[in-house]
Amino acid sequence: MTDLEEKLTKTKESGRGRRRFPIRQIIPSAMTLLALCLGLTALRLGLDGYFDLAVFCIVAAGFIDGLDGTMARLLKAETALGAHLDSLSDFVNFGIVPGFVVYLWALQSTGRLGWAVILIFSVCCALRLARYNVDMEEPDRPDWKSRFFLGVPSPVAAGLMMWPIYLHIGDIMSLQENTLIVMANVLAVAFLMIFRVPTFSVKSSSTTIRRSYVLPTMILIGVWGIMLLTFPWITLTMMCILYYALIPISAHRYYRIRAANLTS
């Protein structure tokens, strides 16, 4: 064998040994990183006083966070790295940045008291995310539990915490000077994160729906998208009210399913 043939053989053998990484496994993590960039951009916009754009970035990060997990399941690209990256991104986007935005918007005048309230929210968010990761590692976890969260998830909590800002920017009602209401709202949402109240999960393990639900679902999504683009602040406010109204319904359904499984 000549020197040239020997080099070609070694090149082929080394090429076979290299692992090829599927591009589809990068897509969910790339979406998570995009959401992280939006969250950090919201912090900068809040510091500059552009609270409407800051809220928009946080809401957009929340929507992306709701899609990256579904995308990972659809592409069969769920990885441990992606799961940890998602938790870290969630804590920054929904545990730190919204608190800063609310503090800069209304609570600076309260000094240490307002800052303590924001710290409580961040701590509760960290505890919520840590408990969620532990629950997901529970062995023999029944499938029906994947349809529920125990406690309000952090992206939704961030949206609920910014509810007074929606009212202010949308010229619906101004609570910027009423710091007690703003702080009470922050504390209420913080405790809803750590209380084990069952709430519906949009990150269900199921990726299919009944055929008869396809058209109504598409119509609802279309109407929701039109309303969000045309009347964003009213729509976000109505989404908060709807979510609060669904909490008792989700809790009732959770305990009914649990009781049925315990007796079966």
Side-chain angles (χ1 to χ4, degrees):
M1 181 181 293
T2 63
D3 292 341
L4 179 60
E5 290 175 341
E6 186 175 354
K7 289 181 180 179
L8 289 174
T9 303
K10 289 181 179 179
T11 302
K12 290 179 180 179
E13 290 177 352
S14 63
R16 293 193 197 100
R18 292 175 183 169
R19 293 183 58 188
R20 304 284 292 179
F21 194 83
I23 294 178
R24 59 182 172 81
Q25 291 191 350
I26 301 176
I27 295 176
S29 295
M31 294 176 65
T32 302
L33 292 174
L34 174 60
L36 179 60
C37 291
L38 284 170
L40 294 174
T41 301
L43 179 59
R44 176 182 176 273
L45 291 169
L47 290 170
D48 291 340
Y50 299 108
F51 295 109
D52 52 346
L53 295 177
V55 170
F56 173 79
C57 287
I58 296 171
V59 171
F63 287 135
I64 294 175
D65 178 75
L67 292 175
D68 59 3
T70 302
M71 186 67 68
R73 288 190 291 272
L74 288 173
L75 297 176
K76 297 180 180 179
E78 295 174 287
T79 62
L81 174 64
H84 289 294
L85 181 63
D86 185 67
S87 290
L88 292 172
S89 175
D90 283 356
F91 181 61
V92 173
N93 288 343
F94 313 120
I96 297 177
V97 175
F100 266 102
V101 172
V102 171
Y103 180 80
L104 293 170
W105 176 71
L107 300 183
Q108 289 191 79
S109 61
T110 63
R112 296 178 181 178
L113 179 61
W115 184 242
V117 169
I118 297 302
L119 288 179
I120 290 173
F121 179 87
S122 296
V123 169
C124 289
C125 182
L127 292 172
R128 168 71 181 82
L129 291 169
R131 188 181 66 191
Y132 173 78
N133 291 337
V134 172
D135 290 343
M136 290 296 101
E137 295 174 359
E138 176 187 345
D140 303 323
R141 178 180 173 85
D143 291 338
W144 64 268
K145 282 191 175 182
S146 64
R147 288 180 278 169
F148 299 91
F149 289 121
L150 291 180
V152 173
S154 55
V156 177
L160 295 175
M161 185 180 68
M162 295 186 298
W163 167 68
I165 303 181
Y166 308 154
L167 296 177
H168 178 78
I169 298 176
D171 291 327
I172 304 170
M173 180 188 302
S174 181
L175 297 174
Q176 191 172 18
E177 302 299 327
N178 200 330
T179 55
L180 289 178
I181 293 180
V182 175
M183 287 190 289
N185 179 64
V186 172
L187 290 175
V189 176
F191 292 135
L192 281 174
M193 279 194 289
I194 58 175
F195 288 164
R196 300 183 71 86
V197 54
T199 58
F200 288 121
S201 169
V202 295
K203 294 186 176 182
S204 171
S205 57
S206 175
T207 56
T208 60
I209 62 173
R210 294 181 184 179
R211 187 177 295 273
S212 59
Y213 291 167
V214 172
L215 183 59
T217 301
M218 293 176 66
I219 292 174
L220 285 175
I221 293 174
V223 171
W224 170 77
I226 292 171
M227 291 296 295
L228 188 62
L229 292 173
T230 309
F231 307 102
W233 309 115
I234 296 176
T235 304
L236 289 172
T237 302
M238 294 303 297
M239 288 172 64
C240 292
I241 295 172
L242 177 62
Y243 189 86
Y244 278 124
L246 286 174
I247 290 178
I249 299 173
S250 61
H252 173 73
R253 184 167 180 80
Y254 174 89
Y255 290 120
R256 190 177 67 178
I257 295 175
R258 189 180 70 170
N261 280 270
L262 290 175
T263 56
S264 61

